[in-house]
Amino acid sequence: YIPRLNLRFEERRRNFQRYHLKAMTEEESPYIIFSNLSLAEFDQQSQTYDVTKLVQGMYHDIFIILQETLNFTATLHKRKDGKWGPLTILPDGTIEAEGIIESVLSGFSEMIVAR
């Protein structure tokens, strides 16, 4: 065993070791553009479209560079309802979320690729 804790922070965080992420996105030209949503595979359970191969735009280009640089893979998903939120914090501290935010808080996805 050779400990790797003596590596600098950026050395420890630059390799996600091919970890696979699920990311949520929504169309907003010119940042995120869907080429043809009718070709996307729809998942009935999560009520999302897999738009991984149908996305282009500025933010998608940056996301691809991040994948290559940090060594991870990802699929991009769009909610059927197209909602972004809202996020509501109740007086007792409970968080209620809808839309893309709910997809992250529920554990369906790990990140959001959007403006």
Side-chain angles (χ1 to χ4, degrees), residues 88-96:
T88 306
I89 302 175
L90 302 176
D92 66 357
T94 304
I95 298 173
E96 288 184 349

Side-chain angles (χ1 to χ4, degrees), residues 15-22 70-74 110:
N15 188 350
F16 285 29
Q17 301 171 353
R18 303 299 294 166
Y19 182 75
H20 183 79
L21 291 171
K22 280 187 181 179
L70 298 175
N71 191 25
F72 68 91
T73 59
E110 286 92 4

Side-chain angles (χ1 to χ4, degrees), residues 7 11 13 21-24 26 29 31 36 38 40 43 46-47 52 57-58 83 90 92 95-96 106-107 115:
L7 296 175
E11 289 173 326
R13 298 296 183 253
L21 291 171
K22 280 187 181 179
M24 299 303 296
E26 190 57 57
S29 184
Y31 308 104
N36 188 351
S38 66
D43 178 40
S46 65
Q47 294 289 297
T52 306
M58 225 184 310
K83 289 184 177 180
L90 302 176
D92 66 357
I95 298 173
E96 288 184 349
S106 72
R115 185 174 89 125

Side-chain angles (χ1 to χ4, degrees), residues 24 79 81-86 97-104:
M24 299 303 296
R79 289 179 60 97
D81 63 16
K83 289 184 177 180
W84 289 85
E98 293 182 36
I100 288 178
I101 297 170
E102 188 273 331
S103 295
V104 174

